[in-house]
Amino acid sequence: EAALSALPQTGEREVETALRPRLLADFVGQPRVREQLSLVLESARKRGVPPDHVLLSGPPGLGKTSMAMIIAAELGASIRITSGPALERAGDLAAMLSNLAEGDVLFIDEIHRIARPAEEMLYLAMEDFRVDVVVGKGPGATSIPLEIAPFTLVGATTRSGALTGPLRDRFGFTGQMEFYTPEELEQVVQRSADLLGISVDPQGRAEIARRSRGTPRIANRLLRRVRDYAEVRADGTGTLDVVRAALAVYDVDELGLDRLDRAVLAALVRSFGGGPVGVSTLAVAVGEEPTTVEEVCEPYLVRAGMLARTPRGRVATAAAWEHLGLQAPADVTG
Ligand code: ADP
């Protein structure tokens, strides 16, 4: 069984689509981003122009894609969806841009992974609604300017720090998505349980929420694993006992940490004496990509007060040692 990371897994896309909130009012949590966005959208609507380009930043599974779809829905616009890694050649982006209709929303997921030539094309498109298409090669190459319809770009990134300055500057608004509180996640679980016809009692709901790493995607996934367990080993209802038993089967611990989270902490503490250690070294020790450790694991471990990022590397806090059932050395704080 793979770790219950926040990355979508195969077969999950359909359920995710069914569970996505459709309008700003259905979107649980993120009060700051919601308020800021609703002002941006309302003001654009009043002025009768497409709103400024929007960058949504935060760890996986917090609702960036859902929010992009909501922006389009609130504007009554169509949305086109692509991702940074899919835009390898500038031509791919040019094709996408020239197919936009006025007022469309273009969503680029993982925008920090866009290739350089496409990124440079995007600058002009975002600023002047124009692209320069280069025809031919070498000294005979000419560039043909092409008008594109005024559109709104919504970019999503798990690493806003990895965006180049010029790209970041072209977004009129950046929404920083935060981890959800257990109370907000309870609402997410309730809503999903209603939509999927799953029965969970209030204590079971609170337990799922508490163990979802602050992440709605994980809350929804745990809810489905609880449903499986409840149907096979119990009477179908997710009570507190059923939730606890189900999450034990899937290696989700008391704090909601999954296998990979715990592997990272264990390596940090056992192999590197609690750090500091560089993220690449840590990633090799757990057999993962550094980007996965950095973008999927670490944000929650930091937020949970288990891991600190220092200029010299990653450091385990006293809480991390304690969580692993170990005695922290005397000089470890936090
Ligand atoms: P991201 O793009 O940040 O990785 P998504 O928008 O794909 O995250 O969200 C993952 C899933 O989590 C969605 O399918 C949706 O079911 C659920 N979700 C995310 N945010 C919310 C929210 N605020 N309210 C309810 N469900 C949410």
Side-chain angles (χ1 to χ4, degrees):
E1 176 71 24
L4 287 159
S5 82
L7 297 175
Q9 288 164 0
T10 346
E12 191 169 301
R13 296 266 176 209
E14 296 73 20
V15 189
E16 281 207 342
T17 307
L19 293 179
R20 273 187 208 291
R22 309 273 158 204
L23 293 172
L24 220 41
D26 305 330
F27 195 93
V28 176
Q30 309 295 341
R32 251 166 46 108
V33 176
R34 258 191 303 137
E35 179 177 16
Q36 294 165 338
L37 259 181
S38 75
L39 286 172
V40 170
L41 296 180
E42 187 61 36
S43 139
R45 199 157 32 208
K46 282 210 166 114
R47 286 176 295 127
V49 294
D52 262 358
H53 306 301
V54 172
L55 181 65
L56 298 171
S57 151
L62 297 194
K64 298 182 294 299
T65 306
S66 306
M67 194 56 106
M69 293 177 164
I70 287 174
I71 291 172
E74 293 279 348
L75 292 168
S78 309
I79 182 165
R80 308 282 172 135
I81 300 178
T82 184
S83 73
L87 298 173
E88 221 178 293
R89 292 168 309 135
D92 301 332
L93 179 62
M96 200 96 208
L97 289 169
S98 55
N99 275 323
L100 294 174
E102 178 157 356
D104 277 0
V105 170
L106 174 64
F107 176 59
I108 307 184
D109 200 7
E110 295 187 83
I111 196 166
H112 60 281
R113 292 177 60 192
I114 193 169
R116 205 48 197 256
E119 173 171 338
E120 278 165 13
M121 172 176 282
L122 203 52
Y123 296 163
L124 204 56
M126 291 171 79
E127 229 159 47
D128 293 342
F129 302 121
R130 193 159 64 81
V131 291
D132 283 334
V133 180
V134 180
V135 183
K137 278 204 168 101
T142 45
S143 116
I144 304 175
L146 206 84
E147 291 240 342
I148 53 181
F151 70 104
T152 296
L153 177 67
V154 180
T157 181
T158 46
R159 287 183 71 192
S160 58
L163 249 64
T164 64
L167 183 54
R168 209 175 348 191
D169 291 346
R170 283 170 172 80
F171 287 99
F173 166 72
T174 299
Q176 178 65 53
M177 309 284 274
E178 310 285 349
F179 285 111
Y180 291 67
T181 65
E183 294 72 31
E184 289 165 347
L185 289 174
E186 275 188 56
Q187 291 179 50
V188 171
V189 170
Q190 169 77 68
R191 179 176 174 276
S192 303
D194 289 347
L195 285 170
L196 298 173
I198 299 176
S199 145
V200 232
D201 72 14
Q203 280 182 305
R205 202 158 61 217
E207 189 69 5
I208 294 175
R210 199 174 66 72
R211 295 219 225 163
S212 297
R213 297 173 94 261
T215 307
R217 174 177 290 138
I218 295 181
N220 286 336
R221 186 179 299 155
L222 296 184
L223 173 66
R224 297 198 301 279
R225 298 296 72 81
V226 165
R227 183 237 5 237
D228 297 347
Y229 190 98
E231 282 175 356
V232 177
R233 303 245 174 108
D235 71 353
T237 300
T239 60
L240 182 58
D241 285 343
V242 165
V243 170
R244 284 185 175 150
L247 298 192
V249 171
Y250 290 100
D251 264 337
V252 175
D253 75 15
E254 266 306 303
L255 296 179
L257 305 189
D258 63 23
R259 270 234 291 257
L260 184 56
D261 295 324
R262 283 196 306 275
V264 167
L265 288 184
L268 185 53
V269 162
R270 297 213 171 89
S271 312
F272 304 104
V277 61
V279 66
S280 328
T281 310
L282 196 54
V284 170
V286 298
E288 264 300 339
E289 293 292 323
T291 51
T292 305
V293 171
E294 199 167 5
E295 293 162 33
V296 179
C297 280
E298 286 190 348
Y300 190 72
L301 292 176
V302 169
R303 147 83 190 245
M306 303 262 169
L307 181 141
R309 290 168 164 163
T310 75
R312 289 164 56 230
R314 275 49 176 177
V315 176
T317 64
W321 288 81
E322 200 180 300
H323 187 62
L324 296 173
L326 299 168
Q327 175 76 46
D331 60 336
V332 173
T333 54

